[in-house]
Amino acid sequence: MKNIFRTIFSLVCALNLANSAAQTAFDYGADVNEQRLINASEEPEVWLSYGRTYDEQRYSPLEQINKDTIDKVGLAWFADMTTSRGQEATPIVVDGALYISTSWSNVWAFDVRTGERLWEFDPEVDRAMGRKACCDVVNRGVAVWQGKVFVGALDGRLIALDSQTGEKLWETQTFDPEMNYTITGAPRVIKGNVIIGNGGAEYGVRGYVTAYDAETGELNWRFFTVPGNPADGYEQNILFDAASTWTGQWWNLGGGGTVWDAMAYDPELDLLYIGVGNGSPWNQSLRSPGGGDNLFLTSIVALDPDDGTYRWHYQTVPGETWDYTATQHIMLADLEIGGEDRRVVMQAPKNGFFYVLDAATGQLISAENYVPVNWATHIDLESGRPVENPDARYDITGTPFIVSPSALGGHNWYPMSFSQNTNLVYIPITENYMGYVRDSEFTVNATGWNTGINLARGFGMVRTAQGLPEQGTFLQAWDPVAQEEVWRVKHEIENGPAGVLSTAAGLVFQGNRSGEFVAYDDLTGERIWSTLTQAGTMAAPSTFEVDGHQHVALLVGSPALPTEGPGAAAATTLASTNNSRILVYRIGGEAQLPRVPVNTESDVEFEIPQIDVPYEVIASGETAYNNACAVCHGSNGISLRPDTYPDLRRSSRMISEDEWNSVVLEGELLDNGMISFANLLENGEAEAIRSYIISLANAED
Ligand code: CA
């Protein structure tokens, strides 16, 4: 009955559209149903879901913007965001409206043609949630379905909004707010269910993914990725098997396995694929002291989308101990392999190997490293398991080891793209490494950073090591059949990838941290077009066609403004501290970004105080700093993202104990996400941290 009603509703809408000429206003109805999502590949005018189609290829058949016309592409309109933390969302476009989410889980809607802002929704996330977000208070996008826009808020609420007005229709809390969970990923809508996971595996949680009824918000099913306490019984039968791969009392530590990003769906096989994260704590010897594979950590798991029943899994890193999540982009494609047509699942997870699996069974077809890797020599195709380098298991050997890739991964959440034009996958990659040092003083700390490794010593190890290879960020074209690189482009700034889009016109679009938006030739990597964005980019673009015009939209805003590369000089306007904006391009676009001299006034000049405290105080300050502050403000006081997380060695707040305590203990800067740490710091620790910072500042001076 419901389906018939939907069909009639669709027909009425179609008639309305047919009767209305282009000048009639859109009703922003987000008239998205199951058939429309399944057939999204045949509707290039819209961008209906996070990866455009259920197979998440991020490939568009649109060709109006091509190698001949791209010189005429300009900015059609732009809008400044009101939040200035990292921006990671892919713009969703349907029925005349463009929907994005921003940091702090705000949602904005615009008219695609004019850039008119239709509405804004602010879920008013408690800024104290910032402490629980390992990797900034970001949000990667919304989902749309039958007049509704869904956002997963950082504080765990899944919220349904009216697509026309932004009015809240329902909301439901998806995790225990007392626990250190967050949501940063985009929901997906499959068969009337909104599917959402969560993050928090750096803070001692247990991962799961949940399906809610899109109309009512009612919970339909939940799949836990790791077993809980055996004494409580298991929520799913498959967890009995999974529990046999764990040892010790992992449930007291959470176990990890959060589903914080990747999902894909194959309507023919009727399988939902989820990417499962790292162990919590990272250090396996602490988490599961007798070893074991620790299922389903770092796995791709296929589920029945109707009830969440387990179908198959492939585990990328048995006994994970390096934060090697398998939450990175999962995509489906049809490839000819060995003369056979295969439906495959592809993933380039953090661990550095590119995997091709059979989509129906999970059988490993091939795996080769796409970046330099030293934790394993190769993946054994017979067993499907990595052949490890025993030295890399710092947790077992007790000897620190510099591992490639690092916990940032050879590829992280930044979306890749599979081109049906070239059959290549375009991957935003980083060649990197980090030192893993077992934390000899690890204690369970359910309220804080909880990895079981000594990050500060690991950084120190890398700083003093000799002969390490150069690190760098690249756009890589990868042949998933031959399992080899075809071309790569080097970016100007290390560790700064951004998401990718490819089109039938032979173009690959990607922003960068140097303040440019670039189109490359999909066969050669040749740079064909670029424009300056006045901001760094992390998010992926989307493309769509409205009123006969192909548009390309990009949400810009990375933790820091470009300070090097071609776009740095152009970042001369300050919309916000990182120039967060939605930029929408089309042929003939004539909008100009504002040119206002940037306020170059640096931090207040002040004299670094001199102190005379015993070494033990500074040492205890260092320990407290590493436990409470380093995750945001950086190891050894060196902030890697000073626009977002001030470099405390240059903060005038250190001058007096009162000034310092006002921020650290009294929460003066709560609105910026800097909560009071009064309940987390022992007596005198705040002052010890201040002493430590002052000692660093003097050493720096
Ligand atoms: Ca992680």
Side-chain angles (χ1 to χ4, degrees):
M1 185 63 205
K2 209 171 169 191
N3 279 334
I4 293 169
F5 185 76
R6 274 181 210 163
T7 310
I8 292 169
F9 182 71
S10 301
L11 265 176
V12 171
C13 286
L15 285 172
N16 281 344
L17 264 180
N19 288 336
S20 62
Q23 60 264 37
T24 310
F26 282 109
D27 69 356
Y28 318 116
D31 181 25
V32 179
N33 56 30
E34 193 174 331
Q35 278 315 304
R36 204 172 171 192
L37 281 170
I38 288 173
N39 298 324
S41 63
E42 287 150 37
E43 210 181 343
E45 299 80 14
V46 291
W47 189 285
L48 290 183
S49 62
Y50 184 64
R52 181 173 170 262
T53 44
Y54 271 146
D55 52 25
E56 304 261 333
Q57 289 182 358
R58 291 178 176 266
Y59 167 79
S60 169
L62 294 177
E63 297 185 278
Q64 187 182 75
I65 296 175
N66 56 47
K67 290 170 193 169
D68 295 326
T69 60
I70 198 160
D71 283 345
K72 301 186 199 78
V73 166
L75 193 61
W77 56 268
F78 67 92
D80 293 345
M81 299 295 106
T82 49
T83 54
S84 57
R85 306 285 286 258
Q87 309 292 359
E88 298 187 350
T90 301
I92 301 293
V93 171
V94 56
D95 299 348
L98 180 150
Y99 302 100
I100 46 171
S101 57
T102 73
S103 48
W104 292 118
S105 328
N106 292 1
V107 183
W108 294 55
F110 297 91
D111 183 295
V112 174
R113 295 172 302 185
T114 63
E116 178 201 350
R117 190 176 81 166
L118 302 172
W119 50 261
E120 183 197 358
F121 173 77
D122 181 352
E124 296 177 357
V125 169
D126 180 353
R127 276 14 185 188
M129 283 299 297
R131 188 182 59 77
K132 301 182 179 182
C134 72
C135 313
D136 204 0
V137 295
V138 292
N139 193 283
R140 283 182 289 279
V142 299
V144 289
W145 171 266
Q146 296 193 339
K148 296 178 196 65
V149 177
F150 304 98
V151 64
L154 190 72
D155 57 17
R157 284 175 293 156
L158 178 66
I159 304 170
L161 306 171
D162 184 305
S163 67
Q164 290 171 308
T165 63
E167 179 199 350
K168 183 157 64 183
L169 299 174
W170 56 256
E171 70 173 32
T172 184
Q173 181 63 34
T174 67
F175 56 68
D176 177 354
E178 297 301 311
M179 302 283 293
N180 289 328
Y181 287 101
T182 49
I183 296 179
T184 58
R188 312 295 201 279
V189 184
I190 298 167
K191 302 173 96 173
N193 279 324
V194 191
I195 321 279
I196 191 74
N198 46 52
E202 273 65 59
Y203 302 85
V205 305
R206 176 187 180 206
Y208 58 85
V209 60
T210 316
Y212 296 91
D213 186 296
E215 297 304 321
T216 63
E218 189 187 330
L219 192 155
N220 278 342
W221 57 258
R222 175 167 288 175
F223 177 83
F224 286 91
T225 58
V226 298
N229 185 344
D232 298 338
Y234 295 121
E235 295 86 348
Q236 306 125 221
N237 284 335
I238 194 67
L239 291 177
F240 285 95
D241 297 340
S244 70
T245 67
W246 290 75
T247 55
Q249 300 192 337
W250 70 88
W251 57 89
N252 290 329
L253 300 161
T258 49
V259 183
W260 56 263
D261 193 56
M263 288 183 236
Y265 173 58
D266 188 309
E268 255 173 57
L269 296 169
D270 199 24
L271 290 177
L272 161 67
Y273 306 90
I274 59 168
V276 182
N278 56 280
S280 188
W282 295 1
N283 181 328
Q284 194 202 10
S285 297
L286 296 168
R287 184 180 73 233
S288 184
D293 287 355
N294 295 177
L295 290 171
F296 296 97
L297 296 182
T298 66
S299 300
I300 294 176
V301 182
L303 302 175
D304 181 330
D306 291 315
D307 57 12
T309 309
Y310 165 91
R311 288 289 180 247
W312 59 254
H313 78 275
Y314 175 79
Q315 188 176 42
T316 58
V317 185
E320 196 282 310
T321 198
W322 304 280
D323 186 28
Y324 280 164
T325 64
T327 49
Q328 282 61 45
H329 193 162
I330 296 172
M331 57 167 63
L332 291 148
D334 298 307
L335 296 179
E336 195 189 309
I337 300 175
E340 252 185 280
D341 289 330
R342 302 290 295 265
R343 181 71 171 161
V344 301
V345 169
M346 300 189 286
Q347 190 187 44
K350 277 186 184 179
N351 76 16
F353 289 94
F354 189 96
Y355 294 86
V356 179
L357 311 176
D358 184 288
T361 65
Q363 181 217 341
L364 177 66
I365 297 171
S366 63
E368 291 292 339
N369 60 306
Y370 62 92
V371 289
V373 162
N374 74 354
W375 68 274
T377 58
H378 63 287
I379 309 298
D380 176 52
L381 292 185
E382 202 64 37
S383 64
R385 297 172 71 91
V387 179
E388 283 188 14
N389 170 7
D391 292 342
R393 287 220 170 245
Y394 65 93
D395 57 320
I396 291 175
T397 65
T399 306
F401 194 75
I402 294 178
V403 182
S404 292
S406 78
L408 291 174
H411 167 233
N412 208 309
W413 65 268
Y414 309 96
M416 354 185 254
S417 175
F418 172 76
S419 168
Q420 294 174 14
N421 197 42
T422 60
N423 278 354
L424 299 178
V425 183
Y426 302 94
I427 320 174
I429 63 164
T430 307
E431 295 191 353
N432 53 26
Y433 40 78
M434 71 180 266
Y436 287 77
V437 182
R438 195 164 71 180
D439 182 356
S440 53
E441 289 163 25
F442 177 80
T443 49
V444 181
N445 175 2
T447 54
W449 188 251
N450 199 19
T451 58
I453 76 164
N454 188 324
L455 276 178
R457 275 196 59 204
F459 278 114
M461 199 181 157
V462 166
R463 254 203 325 278
T464 53
Q466 303 289 316
L468 290 172
E470 197 187 341
Q471 306 195 78
T473 298
F474 309 85
L475 174 62
Q476 179 185 58
W478 184 262
D479 181 338
V481 177
Q483 285 279 18
E484 62 186 22
E485 178 176 296
V486 177
W487 55 258
R488 66 165 59 193
V489 170
K490 189 174 194 318
H491 291 319
E492 306 246 348
I493 297 180
E494 253 182 48
N495 292 329
V500 182
L501 160 75
S502 66
T503 75
L507 299 173
V508 177
F509 290 91
Q510 188 191 33
N512 63 41
R513 304 291 174 90
S514 320
E516 298 172 290
F517 186 32
V518 185
Y520 302 92
D521 183 300
D522 63 359
L523 284 172
T524 64
E526 182 198 345
R527 179 186 272 243
I528 289 177
W529 170 87
S530 71
T531 188
L532 301 178
T533 55
Q534 296 187 343
T537 302
M538 299 194 289
S542 62
T543 188
F544 39 88
E545 186 182 302
V546 178
D547 286 355
H549 300 286
Q550 183 183 355
H551 296 69
V552 180
L554 179 70
L555 180 61
V556 298
S558 66
L561 280 169
T563 53
E564 50 186 302
T572 54
T573 183
L574 219 55
S576 64
T577 55
N578 69 352
N579 283 348
S580 286
R581 287 193 178 108
I582 178 77
L583 306 175
V584 179
Y585 299 88
R586 67 176 170 233
I587 291 171
E590 290 185 332
Q592 296 284 330
L593 290 173
R595 296 241 163 225
V596 180
V598 68
N599 177 5
T600 52
E601 201 178 299
S602 56
D603 285 349
V604 189
E605 287 283 317
F606 67 95
E607 193 119 329
I608 297 166
Q610 300 298 315
I611 42 159
D612 184 17
V613 296
Y615 170 76
E616 293 74 46
V617 172
I618 292 180
S620 78
E622 178 177 13
T623 302
Y625 176 89
N626 282 330
N627 288 336
C629 321
V631 54
C632 291
H633 292 281
S635 272
N636 304 302
I638 304 164
S639 176
L640 298 176
R641 300 184 275 182
D643 288 19
T644 303
Y645 305 116
D647 192 306
L648 299 182
R649 299 166 306 163
R650 302 192 175 108
S651 166
S652 60
R653 293 290 181 164
M654 73 172 81
I655 295 173
S656 80
E657 190 176 346
D658 283 353
E659 287 256 314
W660 183 261
N661 287 348
S662 161
V663 176
V664 176
L665 299 179
E666 287 153 35
E668 183 193 328
L669 299 180
L670 177 61
D671 286 350
N672 300 349
M674 174 62 199
I675 58 158
S676 158
F677 278 73
N679 64 341
L680 297 172
L681 295 176
E682 303 281 326
N683 217 357
E685 276 183 336
E687 182 57 10
I689 294 172
R690 185 172 84 93
S691 301
Y692 169 60
I693 295 296
I694 291 171
S695 75
L696 290 176
N698 280 308
E700 163 87 347
D701 218 30

